[in-house]
Amino acid sequence: MRSILIRFVVPTLIAAGILAFFGVPYVERILAGWFRGDVDMRAQLVAHSMEGSLARFVERNDKSGLARYLAGITTDERLMAVVVCRADGTPYFQTDRTPEEIGCEALQRTGDRGSSLIKLEDGSVEVSSFVIGAADSKPLRALLVHDLSFIDRRQSSARNYVLALAGIAASVLALTFGFVFWLFLRRWVRVLVRDIRGRRFLDDAQSEADSRPILAQIRHALREAERTQRLEIDFHENWTPQALQQVVSEHLRSPEVFIVSNREPYIHNRSPAGPIVQVPASGMVTALEPIMRACSGTWIAHGSGTADRDVVDSHDRVRVPPDEPAYTLRRVWLTEEEEEGFYYGFSNEGIWPLCHLAYVRPAFREADWRQYESVNRKFAEVVAKESESKDPLILVQDYHFALLPRLLRERKPAATIALFWHIPWPNSETFGLCPWKTQILAHMLAADILGFHTRYHCQNFLATVDRFLECQIDHEHMTVTISGHVCRVVPYPISIEWPPRWLASLPDVKTTRDAIRSRYGIGSNVCIGLGVERWDFTKGIIERFQALEALLDKQRNFRERLTLLQVAAPTRSKLPAYQALQSQTLSEAQRINDRFGTGSWKPIVLIDHHQEPREVFELFRAADFCIVNSLHDGMNLVAKEFVAARDDQDGVLILSTFAGASRELPEALLVNPFDVGETAAAMRIAMQMSREERRERMKLMRRTVKENNVYRWAGRMLMDAAQMRQRQLLSKNVFEL
Ligand code: GDG
C-alpha cells in the first residue's frame, strides 16, 4: 500500500499543486482582462448617455440640478464618482464619494477620451474621461470614476473555485489510479506467487503470453537482462580481481560476503621461532583465496593449526593474508571427537570415496553422521552470529557442509546461499549407497545455487534427486523446486588466478630448471616428468609409477633419460586408506628405483612433504612434462597451474579424461589412467614431441586458462547469485504490496 502512495497518489498531488501554483495567477489575469474590458465598454455607454444632460446643466450653470442628476447616477455601486473639470484643469463640480486621491489632474493620465487604472489605498479604480460641450467653446471635461473592487472580489472567488476544483480532480485521479493499480497488483500477486512457487517465473512463458501479456513482458525483459548479463560474463575476456570487485559492488551491491569451508586459507603452526604461517595444499583454497581478496568478506573455517588459537582476537578472528591483510578469517574450533566423526569419518571415509570412482569402499557409521550433523549445525550458528545483515551472501564450500544450506536457511531465511561441490557427483546408483542420502539431498536443495564443475556432474545430481526425492525438476533450466523453493543447479568450471602471483618472484625457465636439477640431483640430459598433488588415492600416483615402469621396461632407450619428480603432500594421514597409500607409494618408488636406477640416476624422486606454493611453481617451470592422471577428479587445478606457469610456451601436459579439466584442455595428451600402457605411451610422446607442437598446444591451453580464470568462475557464480537476489527482492516487493 505504501508503494501505491509513493508511486501514484503523491505524484498526482504534486502535479495538482504545480498546476494550482501556475494556473491560478493565469486564470486571475484572464478574468481581470475580461472585467476591465467590460468596465471600459460600460464607461463609454455611460459617457454617451450623460453627455447631453451634462452639457445642458453646465450651459445653464445649474450646479444644484447637476448635483441631483449626478447623485442619482452615482448610486450605481460600480460608478463611484463623477468629477467635472474646467478647461484650465480646475474642478467645476464633484460628487460626494469622489476619492481624495482623484482630482482634475487625473485628466493628464486619461487624455480627452481614454481611461486609466489608478491604485488607491483601499482598492483600484478605473478613471475614464470625455469632453462636455462643443470642441471650440473651451469645453469642460468629465471624469468617471469606476469602482474596480468587484474585480478583486470576483478574482478571489474564482481562485477559490479553481483551487477547490484542482484539489477535487487530483484526489479523484489519484484515488482512481491507486485503486486500478491495486486491482492489477492483486491479480499479479496471485499470478506471481503461483509462478514463483511453481518455479516458472523466469521460465518460458510463451504459452501464457496471450492470456497475461504484462506478466509475459516482465518475464521477457528479465530473461533478456539475464541473457545480456551472461553474455557480458561469457565474452568478457579480461577477468581480473578488479572486474570481480565491480561485480560485487555493482551487481550484488556489496552485501556481506561469507565463505564457509572446512580448510582454512592460512594455518598458523607453532615453531621454535614462534608461529609460522602455512598455505595448505588444497585446490579449493587456491581457487577461493583471490575471491576473498576481491570481496574483503569473512572466511569461516576450522582452525586446525597448532598456533591458530594464539593469533586470533577475543572473537576468534584474525586478518589475513598475514603480510597484506585484506579479509577476516573467523576460526571455528572442533573437539577431537568432532574432527574424528565429521572430518575423518563421514566426510573423508564416507562422502569422499563415495563420490570418487577410485574403488575405495566408503564407510558409513551412524556416530560419524551424528558428528557431521552437529558440526554443520555449529558452523550454521557461527555464520548466523557473524552476519549482521538479514540477507548476506553465503558461499558454502564442498562436501563437508552438505547440510549447511538448510541449516542456514532456517537461521537466515533471506540469505542468498550457494553451495559449490568441489568433487565429482557420482551416478544415482552409487550415491544411493549412502544411508542418509535423502537428508543430504533435501538439505542441499535449500541453497539458491548448487554449483558443480561440469554439466555431467550436474546431470548426475539431478538424476539422483529425481530418484530419491519428491520434487519438480526442470531439466531444460536445470532447476529443482521443492516445498516452493527453487534451487538452480549450474556448472561452474573452477580455475586459478591469472597470472599466478607466485610467478612474479621466479627467474626465467632456464635458470629455474638448472636450480631444480641441482637441488634434486637430476642430470642435464635427463627429462623431468612432474607430478604434484595431495597424497590421495584418487590422484593415481601408483598408476603413474606403474606407467613409468612399463615405459622403462619396454623402451630401454628411455632409461637414464627420464626422472619422475613426484610431490606428494601428506593429507588425512590418520586414515587407514591414506596410510596404506603412503606406504605403497614409498615401497613402489623404492622398488622401481632399485629395479632401474643406475649411478646417480633415479627414475623416481619422491618429495613426500608439503611444498610452499612458490616451490610448486618452480617445479612447474622446470618440468618437460606434467602428468595429472587422476582416477577421478572434480576439476584438478594442478593441470591449470602447470599451463599458467609456462610463459615460455613449452612443456607438455598429460591429463586424465576423468578429471574435469580434460573438458577444457583437449590440447593436453588425454589418457585413461586405468590404462597403464596408454599412460606410458603418453609419457613417451611427451618426450618426443617437437618444440613446434609443444608450443602450439601450450599456446591454446594458455589462452583457455587465461580467459577462463578463477575470476570468471567467481564472477559467473556471483552474477547468478545477484540474479537470485533480484528475484528474491522482486517477490518480496510483490508480497509486501
Ligand atoms: C579439490 C578437488 C578441484 C599440491 N601440493 C602442494 C600444493 N598443492 C596445491 C596445488 C593445487 C592444489 O594443491 C590441488 O588442487 P587440485 O585441484 O589438484 O586437487 P584437490 O586438493 O583434490 O582439490 C579438485 C579442487 O578441489 C578445486 O575445486 O579441482 O578436483 O578434488 O593448487 O598447487 N600446494 C602447496 N604445497 C604442496 O605441497 N602449497
Side-chain angles (χ1 to χ4, degrees):
M1 201 61 207
R2 215 178 54 203
S3 75
I4 294 179
L5 270 177
I6 291 168
R7 284 174 210 172
F8 291 92
V9 179
V10 172
T12 314
L13 292 178
I14 290 173
I18 292 171
L19 202 72
F21 186 75
F22 291 106
V24 167
Y26 179 70
V27 169
E28 283 180 351
R29 265 202 313 280
I30 289 186
L31 285 179
W34 284 350
F35 290 135
R36 281 198 60 200
D38 271 4
V39 168
D40 282 349
M41 223 159 65
R42 213 162 164 272
Q44 280 175 27
L45 277 173
V46 172
H48 214 64
S49 60
M50 287 170 67
E51 223 171 340
S53 312
L54 281 183
R56 276 195 297 282
F57 285 120
V58 168
E59 231 169 78
R60 294 202 302 265
N61 199 19
D62 179 3
K63 280 199 182 174
S64 57
L66 183 63
R68 273 196 309 279
Y69 174 71
L70 289 180
I73 285 179
T74 53
T75 50
D76 183 317
E77 65 164 326
R78 296 208 207 143
L79 185 58
M80 194 183 204
V82 178
V83 180
V84 181
C85 305
R86 297 194 183 85
D88 59 3
T90 53
Y92 172 75
F93 179 82
Q94 67 181 51
T95 54
D96 295 343
R97 285 201 296 138
T98 304
E100 278 176 19
E101 301 93 320
I102 306 284
C104 291
E105 58 286 349
L107 276 169
Q108 287 163 5
R109 296 173 65 169
T110 61
D112 277 354
R113 251 193 133 72
S115 62
S116 171
L117 180 76
I118 294 176
K119 293 232 182 268
L120 304 180
E121 238 174 53
D122 49 354
S124 310
V125 292
E126 170 104 350
V127 180
S128 57
S129 66
F130 60 93
V131 179
I132 307 169
D136 53 349
S137 60
K138 289 198 176 171
L140 273 68
R141 287 185 182 83
L143 284 172
L144 305 184
V145 182
H146 302 272
D147 184 1
L148 293 185
S149 62
F150 80 99
I151 295 183
D152 292 341
R153 282 197 305 278
R154 286 191 182 176
Q155 273 182 335
S156 123
S157 321
R159 187 185 311 125
N160 293 343
Y161 281 128
V162 169
L163 285 176
L165 215 70
I168 290 169
S171 311
V172 170
L173 264 176
L175 288 177
T176 314
F177 271 141
F179 185 62
V180 170
F181 185 66
W182 183 69
L183 283 181
F184 262 110
L185 279 178
R186 271 172 63 96
R187 189 167 156 253
W188 283 8
V189 169
R190 277 202 304 275
V191 175
L192 285 170
V193 169
R194 208 188 67 207
D195 282 2
I196 288 165
R197 291 217 168 116
R199 156 211 40 83
R200 295 194 327 252
F201 181 47
L202 290 165
D203 302 348
D204 195 359
Q206 219 52 53
S207 58
E208 296 163 23
D210 295 335
S211 56
R212 292 202 294 270
I214 297 172
L215 189 60
Q217 277 172 26
I218 293 177
R219 285 181 175 134
H220 181 72
L222 282 172
R223 266 202 312 274
E224 278 304 303
E226 285 186 4
R227 205 167 299 146
T228 318
Q229 277 185 353
R230 182 46 66 92
L231 283 178
E232 228 175 80
I233 294 279
D234 287 348
F235 290 98
H236 192 327
E237 286 200 358
N238 195 16
W239 272 96
T240 58
Q242 291 72 30
L244 197 59
Q245 255 157 3
Q246 211 177 329
V247 169
V248 174
S249 64
E250 278 179 18
H251 296 275
L252 283 156
R253 303 204 181 91
S254 302
E256 274 187 308
V257 181
F258 291 94
I259 286 181
V260 186
S261 72
N262 174 66
R263 171 78 64 231
E264 50 183 346
Y266 294 92
I267 304 173
H268 288 87
N269 279 323
R270 291 203 182 115
S271 84
I276 48 160
V277 184
Q278 201 185 49
V279 178
S282 153
M284 189 268 297
V285 169
T286 311
L288 289 170
E289 155 86 354
I291 300 169
M292 264 287 116
R293 283 173 188 259
C295 301
S296 91
T298 302
W299 188 323
I300 299 173
H302 170 212
S304 57
T306 50
D308 274 356
R309 286 177 195 263
D310 306 345
V311 296
V312 293
D313 65 12
S314 58
H315 301 285
D316 298 327
R317 299 181 193 134
V318 58
R319 294 285 292 167
V320 288
D323 47 349
E324 198 191 352
Y327 64 94
T328 301
L329 170 60
R330 162 70 159 91
R331 285 175 169 148
V332 179
W333 315 114
L334 297 183
T335 63
E336 224 170 276
E337 297 74 51
E338 283 173 331
E339 207 179 337
E340 212 47 66
F342 154 75
Y343 178 71
Y344 289 107
F346 196 76
S347 298
N348 288 319
E349 287 196 296
I351 304 182
W352 178 269
L354 179 74
C355 290
H356 287 94
L357 298 182
Y359 303 97
V360 170
R361 187 184 165 136
F364 292 114
R365 291 176 289 263
E366 171 90 26
D368 292 346
W369 167 248
R370 295 284 159 238
Q371 289 292 2
Y372 186 82
E373 277 184 313
S374 103
V375 171
N376 269 252
R377 221 170 289 122
K378 190 176 204 173
F379 271 80
E381 289 297 339
V382 172
V383 178
K385 229 168 111 191
E386 288 292 317
S387 163
E388 284 171 4
S389 75
K390 62 180 192 318
D391 59 351
L393 171 64
I394 310 168
L395 306 172
V396 181
Q397 304 306 316
D398 233 352
Y399 60 99
H400 311 91
F401 294 114
L403 307 183
L404 214 45
R406 182 186 278 181
L407 299 172
L408 288 170
R409 181 73 63 213
E410 286 164 2
R411 288 158 179 83
K412 291 267 168 184
T416 305
I417 305 168
L419 166 62
F420 190 80
W421 198 260
H422 288 260
I423 62 176
W425 190 275
N427 62 36
S428 61
E429 221 163 27
T430 306
F431 194 78
L433 302 181
C434 177
W436 298 282
K437 53 187 172 286
T438 50
Q439 288 97 314
I440 290 178
L441 293 172
H443 276 74
M444 286 174 77
L445 287 169
D448 298 293
I449 296 173
L450 283 179
F452 296 91
H453 291 300
T454 66
R455 184 163 283 272
Y456 181 64
H457 298 152
C458 292
Q459 280 158 351
N460 274 352
F461 178 79
L462 290 178
T464 310
V465 169
D466 201 13
R467 187 153 170 184
F468 298 114
L469 287 188
E470 280 288 317
C471 58
Q472 263 180 295
I473 298 179
D474 180 334
H475 287 277
E476 197 190 338
H477 298 97
M478 312 262 281
T479 57
V480 181
T481 306
I482 187 162
S483 316
H485 176 77
V486 185
C487 174
R488 288 183 68 192
V489 180
V490 193
Y492 301 107
I494 206 166
S495 195
I496 56 165
E497 63 179 342
W498 186 282
R501 81 192 88 119
W502 313 109
L503 285 187
S505 61
L506 287 176
D508 61 65
V509 167
K510 184 173 177 326
T511 317
T512 311
R513 183 170 293 181
D514 292 346
I516 293 297
R517 281 185 192 285
S518 76
R519 192 178 306 160
Y520 295 105
I522 301 171
S524 57
N525 58 343
V526 176
C527 270
I528 300 176
L530 177 69
V532 176
E533 35 259 315
R534 285 184 306 103
W535 211 334
D536 196 286
F537 54 78
T538 60
K539 302 295 181 183
I541 297 174
I542 299 295
E543 287 74 6
R544 189 174 307 167
F545 288 180
Q546 288 169 353
L548 177 68
E549 184 177 22
L551 179 68
L552 299 177
D553 203 12
K554 280 195 189 140
Q555 313 241 333
R556 302 183 70 87
N557 54 330
F558 281 95
R559 293 182 190 176
E560 299 187 347
R561 282 191 48 211
L562 169 64
T563 287
L564 177 65
L565 198 49
Q566 177 65 54
V567 176
T571 174
R572 307 169 196 169
S573 304
K574 265 191 177 181
L575 298 178
Y578 288 80
Q579 288 165 3
L581 174 72
Q582 288 177 11
S583 59
Q584 196 189 356
T585 309
L586 292 172
S587 64
E588 279 296 274
Q590 186 65 50
R591 186 181 63 74
I592 294 168
N593 282 344
D594 287 348
R595 183 176 168 198
F596 298 106
T598 54
S600 64
W601 175 71
K602 280 199 284 182
I604 298 173
V605 173
L606 186 63
I607 307 169
D608 61 356
H609 52 273
H610 180 89
Q611 300 289 291
E612 283 309 305
R614 187 180 178 279
E615 294 170 317
V616 172
F617 273 83
E618 231 183 330
L619 292 170
F620 286 142
R621 281 165 81 75
D624 290 287
F625 69 83
C626 176
I627 176 162
V628 175
N629 61 319
S630 316
L631 305 182
H632 204 187
D633 219 330
M635 173 56 70
N636 194 290
L637 296 181
V638 168
K640 295 188 173 182
E641 286 169 353
F642 172 64
V643 168
R646 300 313 295 260
D647 50 13
D648 61 335
Q649 299 187 336
D650 206 348
V652 179
L653 175 64
I654 299 173
L655 182 56
S656 162
T657 52
F658 302 124
S662 65
R663 314 285 158 122
E664 290 178 80
L665 301 172
E667 298 82 11
L669 295 179
L670 297 180
V671 294
N672 171 0
F674 294 92
D675 186 339
V676 167
E678 189 177 279
T679 311
M683 290 186 187
R684 176 181 51 77
I685 294 168
M687 287 171 66
Q688 292 174 336
M689 192 182 284
S690 71
R691 170 75 179 104
E692 195 44 43
E693 187 174 346
R694 296 198 302 263
R695 181 186 293 118
E696 282 313 306
R697 286 175 184 261
M698 186 52 85
K699 252 165 73 176
L700 289 168
M701 290 192 289
R702 283 177 64 78
R703 194 168 155 192
T704 304
V705 178
K706 181 183 177 196
E707 282 176 13
N708 298 308
N709 61 27
V710 72
Y711 305 111
R712 177 187 290 244
W713 171 77
R716 281 190 53 207
M717 199 157 49
L718 295 180
M719 288 288 262
D720 286 345
Q723 276 168 13
M724 301 303 285
R725 289 172 84 80
Q726 274 163 14
R727 286 182 208 179
Q728 281 156 2
L729 201 71
L730 192 67
S731 59
K732 186 172 144 259
N733 279 350
V734 168
F735 280 108
E736 265 181 9
L737 282 162

